Structures are given as structure tokens and as C-alpha cells.
Amino acid sequence: MPPAHSKRRRMSLAAYCVICCRRMGTSTSPPKNNTYWRDIRNIIKFTGSLILGGSLFITYEVLALKKSLTLDTQVVEREKMKSYIYVHTVSLDKRENPGITYQARKELHKAVRKVLATSARMLRGPFADTFSTVDVEDHECAVWLLLRKSRSEDRAARLQAVQEMSETHHWQDYQYRIIAQACDLRTLTGLARSKESDLRFFLRPPPLPSLKEDSSIEEELRQLLASLPQTELDECIQYFTSLALSESSQSLAAQKGGLWCFGGNGLPYAESFGEVPSATVEMFCLEALVKHSEIPTHCDKIEANGGLQLLQRLYQLHKDYPKVQRNIMRILGNMALNEHLHSAIVHSGWVSILAEAMKSQHIMEASHAARTLANLDRETVRDKYQDGVYVLHPQHRTSQPIKADVLFIHGLMGAAFKTWRQQDNDQDLTENISEDETKYTTCWPKSWLASDCPALRIISVEYDTSLSDWRARCPMERKSIAFRSNELLRKLRAAGVGDRPVVWVSHSMGGLLVKKMLLEASKKPEMNTIINNTRGIIFYSVPHHGSHLAEYSVNIRYLLFPSLEVKELSKDSPALKTLQDDFLEFAKDKNFQVLSFVETLPTYIGSMIKLHVVPLESADLGIGDLIPVDVNHLNICKPKKKDAFLYQRTLQFIRDALAKDLEN
């Protein structure tokens, strides 16, 4: 209201009151009505209401501002004690300079904060003395409020704070650094598992300690391995450990003319019969450490002896060697299964490396990082993912409720990722698929199935297989279907498989493992939930009645030293026949839904032999639909494209088997 108009209104009101008073004073007799008193009462009511309403509005605004500025003073005090400062840069662009309105509003806020701080001290309010001396810019309040919220005792509030942080993309660099340096381990892990998080939330790993004088990474890696307990180990761990420790890289380099391997010193271990694999001393040590890291007490030793820093140095040094990095990630993921080591893992700087790996376009790299972070994230993940169990979806924190699980089990010479890629050129069955990461950027369960059924948790399992025992690394019995099924069953149960409805998807020998796992689970009361929640099984060319593979060989070594896996696929294998008979009866009793595919084209075995690996009669389980497909054994589980019959029929089966569960 303009000042002149307001003044006239106040003068009019005063004049009206004076006239009323004069009339009352000059009146010789009481009025016959109460008109004038009623007018005065109305004036009093109006004025009182105006004053009361204004007072309430001002009080509300002051309290609201005070509430918004009630910060965790301990966080602020800790921030003040740190050995760094933030420099507010001023833009030289005049268009970015705030106007007079902004400056006036800023000064008003400062004045109000000083009044609130003073009144708080007088009335012993919630503002601490330390905060009264801190001039927090109004646009910085959100940062500190989110930090305080992330430490709330209310879990829902903590999760919301992390989500709000991850969705913020308009902050300045220093604001992200405030969060990075002031947040707790739980919040940092949550940000790393949030899909939209800015990498500026994560500080660079701290400087690594210098190598010992006259020492190399290979030598320190071997020393780390030698420091671990060497007694009471199973035969597999003993094998890998003795292999890594038995060879001196420098002596081998001298003997063989100093051949180079990617660590600098060292030479590949020369196996018997003069065969030299492409692995190096680092790889042998890492493979042994993977096995040791499955033992909790050995994980403690690895951490205490500087293993986290040494592995980080090796990871950064071999960025162009995915196999080295994957083994390091396997070790780290195993160590993350031990909650008392979480603080050491985070403080060593691994979370920033994992957060960056999570954003990788390479499925294998992202999946290994996702496994480790899931094991670190005890805020939203109840399950634990042991070595060889990888979640393809969801790999990040999500508000999408997960209603069912779909498990992918590969077969002989397969893997958790490469088995489920799109169809590519025919591969030699005995040829090792190239380690080029571009071979693994396509994974149809992760890309297609996850988008078509987002309410699923999709898990892929990996285990070692071989065609030959020419270079046997572990005792024969550890490769049997019976041993592997129990091992996988234990790992899957630890990952929470059985708590939700389940559909199993298997290729080749993986289908035999699924059958054996279900039979074993039916015998154990603690595993009954897996049986009760199994909704269906998909078999891609599973040799229920044996395979011709065991009858052929590529060369003399396969003929003389066939692996146990190959032997168990023989048509006359008693174990295979017993498994088929027992499972068929069991599946009929449980009324499992079953869908089977079988190849109709032969597969090249080596360079000379063309073999129909799983014929039609062997792929017939005896129940469910059996669908022949014009592909070979390798491509039976690799659809050419998303609208191909092979994928669409698979998708339809999964949806039908889980229809009631996905609707709830």
C-alpha cells in the first residue's frame, strides 16, 4: 500500500474515533440504540484480528526459518577442524552476477540468522554457539541438511537423503566435496550404488605406500601370499598356492632369456610336457588369493598385511588387462562378505574405484563391481553374494519391488556372461573366447529381460569347467556334478534364492546341475523354500540322456585325459541315468513347469570334427514342451535379436510361470 494512502487511512480512522467520542460526550440522554458502540466493537475486532493474524504469520515464518537452519553442529565443527578450505570463486561474467534483489535477500537472511542465534542463546534454544559463528550461505543449507538426514536414526530418512543426493546435479564442485569428506561409510556406499550419482561424490583413493627398496609388485604379491596360513587347506587352495610360490620370476627370466610378462619381471609358469600358458606370476598369485579370500580368517590377514593397497596398485597398473582386474575384484568381493572389514575397504579408497566401474559399459566389469558394493551395502541388501554369484539386475539401488528371481546356469566351457550374449559367429567349441571386452558388452538377460520384466532379480552363476584333465588343478571329486551342485546350492541360498518365486534357466551341463541341486534341496529342511518357490525350469540343449561329446576328441590329450565333466556326460554313465530317473519322478510329483529347446545343427569340435552335441532324444526330459531350433549347440541359448523366436518364447514362459507372483 502506498505511504500516502496508508497515512490518509490512519487519519480517517482517528477522525472517526474522535467524532464518535464527541457525540458520546455531548449527548444529554442515552441513545435509543447501540449503533455507535457496535461500530467501536467492530473496529476493535478488525484491528485485533489484523494484529493477531500478522503476529501469527511472522511467528510462523521465523519458526520455519529457524527449523530449516537447525543443523547438526557436530558436523559443522568437524568440518571447521579439517585441514582444507573452500574458496568461493566469483564469475567474471556479468550475466551470472546476482542483482540487487538477491543481495538484499541475502543480507536479510543474514540479519534474521543473527537474531535467531542471539535469541537462541538467550532462551537456550537449539542453536549451538559454534553454529552462531558460522555464516552458512542459504544455498548451502541443503548440503548440510542432507548430511544430517543421512545420519538419521530413521532408516527411511537415510535412504531418502542418499536418493536426494544422487539425484542432485546442479551443485558446485566444492559442494560435492563437502559430502565426500563429511559423509559416513554407509552413505558413501549408498551413493556408489545409486545409478545417477555424480562421481564427484567420491574422493580419489589416498596415496599408496611406496614399494620396499629393491622390491617389485610381483615379489610383494608373493610375500603377501606366503604370509597367509598354509596348513589345513583343501587341495585346491594348496595347488594354487604352491604353484604361485614355487616359481621365482627372476630365476625363470634368467633361465628363459628374460622373457617379458606384464608385471615387468617374471615368466609364465612352465607346466609339464613343455606347455607354457599365457598367464603370469601375478595371475597365479591372484588365483591363489581368490581361493584364500574365501576363508574369513585369511581375509583378515590380507587386510592386515597391506593387501588392499597392494591390490589397488596392481589394479591401477593393469587397466588394460581385464582378467587381472576381474580376479582382483573377486578377491575384494570375497573380503566384503566380512562386515568387520568394510571400514578398511572404504578407507583404502576402493569405493571410488568401484563407483567408476559401476558406470562401465562392459558388463563384466560393472557386474564384478556391483557384487562387491552389494556386499558392502548392508543398508538395503540383506543377502550376500559369494564368489561366482553375480546379479545382472538390479545392480543399483532401486525403489522397484523385486517379486521373483530368474537364475542362469551355464554349461561346459561356459561362463556367467559370455554364454548369454547375442548370437555371433560360430566358435570353435574348444577355442577360448577372446578376452576382448567387446565380446561381453551384450548380455540379453541383463539388457532385454530386465527391461521386459523389471520386477525380477536376475542372477548368473559361474563355475570352472574343462574338457580335459591334462592340467588338472583340483581333485577329481571336486568337479563332479554332485559336489558342484552342493557348492552352488549353498552359495545361492546365501544370496537369498528361495525367498521369492524362482525360474531356472540352464544350458547344457548347467541343466544337470539344476536337476541335482533341486534333488539335493528336497533332502534338506533348510532348503525346502527353494523347492516350494520353484515355478519353472528352462533347459537349453541339456543332455538328460548323455552326449556324443564324450565319444570324440580333438587331439590325443582329450582322448587320454577326458575331464570328469566329460565322463559324466557319457551315455552309459550310471550317475547320469540315476539323476534322470530321480528327477523325472520328482518333477512330476512337484508339477514343475518345464520348457526345453534343442539344437538341430551340428557344432564344430576343433577344426576337423563336426558333431551334434545333444541330439533330440537326449534333450527330451520326459515332461514339458520340447522345441527344436535350427542352431548349433553354442547358439541354442544366444538369440539373434530381441524379437527372435528363441527369446520371445523364453520370455513368454517366464511371464506365464510367474504370472500370479508378478501381479501381486
Side-chain angles (χ1 to χ4, degrees):
M1 180 181 295
H5 183 61
S6 177
K7 184 176 181 181
R8 287 196 299 271
R9 182 172 180 177
R10 288 196 298 269
M11 293 177 61
S12 299
L13 180 60
Y16 181 73
C17 291
V18 171
I19 294 173
C20 289
C21 291
R22 287 179 176 178
R23 287 180 178 179
M24 293 170 56
T26 56
S27 176
T28 57
S29 61
K32 296 181 180 181
N33 54 59
N34 297 326
T35 301
Y36 299 119
W37 286 109
R38 187 163 52 249
D39 290 338
I40 292 175
R41 285 197 300 271
N42 289 339
I43 292 172
I44 294 173
K45 287 180 181 180
F46 175 78
T47 306
S49 299
L50 185 63
I51 294 173
L52 179 61
S55 300
L56 290 175
F57 176 77
I58 294 173
T59 303
Y60 171 79
E61 289 294 320
V62 171
L63 291 177
L65 180 59
K66 183 169 74 171
K67 182 178 179 181
S68 68
L69 292 175
T70 303
L71 303 181
D72 189 343
T73 58
Q74 293 181 354
V75 174
V76 179
E77 189 65 20
R78 285 197 300 269
E79 191 68 11
K80 291 168 61 180
M81 298 297 293
K82 293 182 178 178
S83 59
Y84 60 85
I85 60 172
Y86 293 112
V87 179
H88 294 269
T89 58
V90 179
S91 174
L92 298 178
D93 190 346
K94 295 182 179 181
R95 294 173 297 178
E96 298 183 9
N97 292 330
I100 189 171
T101 303
Y102 173 83
Q103 295 293 343
R105 180 170 172 266
K106 180 178 177 181
E107 294 301 322
L108 177 61
H109 275 238
K110 287 183 179 180
V112 172
R113 280 199 296 273
K114 290 180 180 179
V115 172
L116 289 175
T118 303
S119 63
R121 285 197 299 272
M122 294 174 60
L123 301 175
R124 295 184 180 180
F127 280 180
D129 291 339
T130 53
F131 180 74
S132 66
T133 63
V134 178
D135 186 18
V136 181
E137 299 288 348
D138 57 327
H139 61 278
E140 293 178 15
C141 291
V143 176
W144 295 106
L145 288 173
L146 285 176
L147 276 171
R148 182 191 180 197
K149 193 175 181 180
S150 70
R151 294 175 179 267
S152 169
E153 295 182 359
D154 182 10
R155 177 177 176 272
R158 296 196 301 268
L159 295 179
Q160 184 181 4
V162 173
Q163 182 179 353
E164 290 177 8
M165 289 180 189
S166 67
E167 293 174 352
T168 301
H169 302 288
H170 62 275
W171 285 346
Q172 300 296 323
D173 286 349
Y174 76 93
Q175 292 173 297
Y176 289 101
R177 298 308 180 194
I178 289 175
I179 298 290
Q181 293 173 327
C183 70
D184 57 13
L185 307 185
R186 181 171 51 196
T187 302
L188 191 64
T189 303
L191 287 170
R193 292 197 69 236
S194 300
K195 189 173 184 178
E196 302 299 328
S197 286
D198 195 299
L199 289 178
R200 288 175 290 179
F201 279 121
F202 310 100
L203 300 175
R204 293 180 179 178
L208 296 173
S210 302
L211 291 175
K212 298 177 182 178
E213 189 176 355
D214 298 328
S215 180
S216 65
I217 292 182
E218 297 92 329
E219 291 173 351
E220 294 205 1
L221 197 59
R222 287 197 300 275
Q223 289 175 9
L224 175 64
L225 183 58
S227 69
L228 302 178
Q230 305 297 322
T231 57
E232 299 181 359
L233 303 177
D234 69 31
E235 294 183 59
C236 274
I237 299 180
Q238 288 180 0
Y239 170 84
F240 282 107
T241 303
S242 62
L243 177 63
L245 296 177
S246 63
E247 295 301 326
S248 167
S249 60
Q250 293 191 13
S251 63
L252 278 175
Q255 295 171 17
K256 301 294 183 178
L259 291 180
W260 179 83
C261 82
F262 58 74
N265 296 323
L267 189 73
Y269 174 77
E271 293 189 83
S272 57
F273 297 95
E275 185 164 320
V276 180
S278 60
T280 63
V281 172
E282 293 102 323
M283 280 303 305
F284 283 115
C285 290
L286 289 174
E287 288 176 350
L289 286 172
V290 167
K291 299 298 181 182
H292 280 277
S293 65
E294 295 177 356
I295 305 173
T297 55
H298 291 208
C299 290
D300 296 340
K301 290 282 188 180
I302 293 173
E303 188 276 326
N305 294 332
L308 290 171
Q309 290 77 17
L310 183 58
L311 291 173
Q312 190 176 129
R313 184 187 299 276
L314 198 62
Y315 186 90
Q316 295 173 352
L317 182 64
H318 298 311
K319 291 183 177 180
D320 295 331
Y321 292 88
K323 193 171 182 179
V324 172
Q325 292 194 328
R326 287 196 294 270
N327 274 335
I328 293 173
M329 284 292 190
R330 289 175 66 188
I331 297 169
L332 196 65
N334 291 344
M335 294 181 69
L337 291 169
N338 306 282
E339 294 187 31
H340 65 280
L341 294 178
H342 287 184
S343 177
I345 293 173
V346 174
H347 282 123
S348 63
W350 271 107
V351 173
S352 62
I353 297 174
L354 295 169
E356 185 176 358
M358 281 282 285
K359 297 183 181 296
S360 172
Q361 296 300 312
H362 301 311
I363 291 173
M364 294 183 72
E365 182 181 359
S367 297
H368 279 275
R371 172 186 168 243
T372 302
L373 285 171
N375 287 335
L376 289 173
D377 186 10
R378 297 296 91 189
E379 181 87 321
T380 62
V381 182
R382 179 184 58 186
D383 310 314
K384 293 190 175 183
Y385 299 101
Q386 299 186 22
D387 188 34
V389 180
Y390 301 99
V391 176
L392 300 180
H393 173 81
Q395 292 185 340
H396 301 87
R397 282 189 177 184
T398 177
S399 58
Q400 169 71 53
I402 302 301
K403 300 180 179 180
D405 291 336
V406 177
L407 308 181
F408 287 81
I409 317 293
H410 68 78
L412 186 63
M413 299 298 291
F417 307 100
K418 73 178 183 181
T419 292
W420 312 106
R421 66 187 185 276
Q422 279 182 272
Q423 182 175 329
D424 46 25
N425 296 329
D426 290 343
Q427 299 284 347
D428 187 333
L429 184 61
T430 63
E431 178 186 358
N432 290 327
I433 303 300
S434 170
E435 292 298 333
D436 182 2
E437 287 293 327
T438 59
K439 291 289 186 180
Y440 303 95
T441 54
T442 301
C443 180
W444 62 262
K446 184 180 188 300
S447 55
W448 299 347
L449 185 59
S451 62
D452 288 333
C453 300
L456 298 178
R457 180 178 66 160
I458 304 173
I459 292 178
S460 188
V461 173
E462 183 161 289
Y463 56 96
D464 294 328
T465 65
S466 63
L467 289 176
S468 170
D469 277 332
W470 177 255
R471 298 193 300 267
R473 295 186 170 188
C474 293
M476 290 279 286
E477 62 271 12
R478 293 180 66 90
K479 294 186 174 184
S480 67
I481 291 176
F483 181 89
R484 280 208 172 105
S485 63
N486 278 290
E487 186 178 43
L488 290 178
L489 193 61
R490 174 181 55 81
K491 290 182 176 182
L492 291 175
R493 190 68 194 101
V497 173
D499 295 339
R500 308 181 186 92
V502 181
V503 170
W504 304 79
V505 183
S506 60
H507 174 235
S508 191
M509 193 183 80
L512 304 181
L513 285 173
V514 170
K515 291 160 62 176
K516 187 66 175 177
M517 278 191 284
L518 292 175
L519 286 173
E520 291 298 322
S522 67
K523 302 174 185 177
K524 302 176 181 179
E526 68 274 15
M527 299 287 185
N528 279 340
T529 55
I530 294 180
I531 303 300
N532 297 334
N533 277 320
T534 293
R535 298 290 189 265
I537 311 170
I538 297 177
F539 295 111
Y540 289 111
S541 287
V542 174
H544 302 291
H545 305 281
S547 170
H548 292 304
L549 181 64
E551 303 171 14
Y552 292 86
S553 62
V554 178
N555 55 40
I556 191 66
R557 66 178 185 179
Y558 290 137
L559 180 62
L560 294 177
F561 303 100
S563 66
L564 181 59
E565 298 100 309
V566 173
K567 292 177 181 177
E568 287 191 325
L569 296 180
S570 174
K571 287 189 175 183
D572 57 356
S573 169
L576 192 62
K577 186 178 186 307
T578 301
L579 176 61
Q580 167 61 17
D581 295 341
D582 292 348
F583 183 78
L584 182 59
E585 181 181 356
F586 175 70
K588 288 180 178 179
D589 179 63
K590 295 297 181 181
N591 197 28
F592 290 151
Q593 297 185 52
V594 175
L595 174 64
S596 299
F597 296 96
V598 60
E599 78 250 23
T600 62
L601 301 180
T603 304
Y604 279 96
I605 309 296
S607 58
M608 299 175 60
I609 299 175
K610 193 165 62 172
L611 175 66
H612 201 159
V613 179
V614 180
L616 182 66
E617 60 273 13
S618 182
D620 187 2
L621 178 64
I623 56 174
D625 296 334
L626 176 62
I627 302 176
V629 183
D630 292 334
V631 292
N632 62 26
H633 186 72
L634 295 178
N635 290 331
I636 189 65
C637 56
K638 299 176 180 62
K640 284 187 176 181
K641 48 187 178 179
K642 190 173 182 179
D643 59 359
F645 169 78
L646 196 58
Y647 172 72
Q648 291 298 322
R649 184 67 182 88
T650 298
L651 176 62
Q652 179 187 345
F653 177 86
I654 293 173
R655 282 175 168 169
D656 292 345
L658 299 172
K660 294 181 180 179
D661 304 297
L662 295 179
E663 288 176 359
N664 296 333

